[in-house]
Amino acid sequence: TPFSPVLSIFTSMISHADFTHLFSNCFVLYLLADNVEDAIGNKFKFLIFAALTGVAGTLGHAMLDTSSTIPLVGISGVCSGMIGAYILLHPKAQFRCLMVVIVFFRMMNIPAYVIFIFWLIGQVTGLFSGADNVAYWAHLFGLGAGMALIPLFKRRDVPLMPKEDFPSGVET
């Protein structure tokens, strides 16, 4: 092949299955990556952090889903790494979400840790529910890498699990 297997680890991260896949990954990065980058404080260190979380997701998936014949594509390991870092940096941040219950619509502020818990439950249940072409192991390994690496990459003055609320920029 013209590309080495090492290079394919990175090229798989910039490939996506379809527009929805690309959009959802970009949306997660839009929501979280700027705050993680601010906590790291250096664009180059941030890119290294992102690449390491993506590689961890890719390798974790490759090691634990050896029977898969579906190509692994997407930056989900990086997105999950951002989720892991964000939850340690800003667990009390609030996200403004549209809640729909039958015909009732309401905007609500939901803490980041609550969204994280639901996301994590979705990943774990998806992992054990059968084949659906989602790389759950890549998500979980990316998450673990983000949580493990952010203490090493963040600026010294940035606390982990701060007690005060993080300003969300959203009116309540």
Side-chain angles (χ1 to χ4, degrees):
T1 64
F3 300 108
S4 75
V6 172
L7 186 58
S8 69
I9 291 172
F10 297 100
T11 58
S12 69
M13 286 188 242
I14 58 172
S15 304
H16 283 79
D18 55 29
F19 178 76
T20 305
H21 185 214
L22 176 64
F23 177 79
S24 61
N25 282 180
C26 288
F27 187 66
V28 169
L29 292 175
Y30 168 76
L31 288 175
L32 307 179
D34 62 334
N35 294 106
V36 175
E37 181 185 356
D38 288 345
I40 292 172
N42 177 296
K43 290 185 186 313
F44 182 72
K45 278 177 65 177
F46 172 75
L47 290 174
I48 297 296
F49 172 82
L52 288 173
T53 60
V55 168
T58 300
L59 293 178
H61 174 76
M63 288 186 311
L64 294 176
D65 194 2
T66 57
S67 64
S68 177
T69 59
I70 299 164
L72 178 63
V73 295
I75 200 164
S76 300
V78 176
C79 292
S80 300
M82 295 300 151
I83 292 169
Y86 192 91
I87 204 64
L88 291 178
L89 295 167
H90 310 295
K92 295 187 178 193
Q94 303 270 324
F95 287 94
R96 189 106 171 126
C97 300
L98 176 64
M99 301 301 292
V100 179
V101 180
I102 305 174
V103 295
F104 299 101
F105 298 85
R106 181 166 184 211
M107 294 300 289
M108 295 179 63
N109 285 349
I110 301 176
Y113 71 88
V114 171
I115 294 171
F116 168 73
I117 289 168
F118 280 106
W119 177 84
L120 187 59
I121 290 168
Q123 301 310 301
V124 173
T125 57
L127 185 65
F128 297 108
S129 68
D132 62 0
N133 299 340
V134 176
Y136 293 108
W137 283 119
H139 297 174
L140 294 170
F141 271 82
L143 171 76
M147 295 180 101
L149 292 173
I150 196 60
L152 305 173
F153 277 80
K154 72 174 186 62
R155 295 187 332 259
R156 291 178 193 222
D157 63 320
V158 174
L160 291 177
M161 302 297 288
K163 302 239 185 289
E164 72 278 353
D165 288 340
F166 179 74
S168 65
V170 177
E171 294 180 29
T172 56

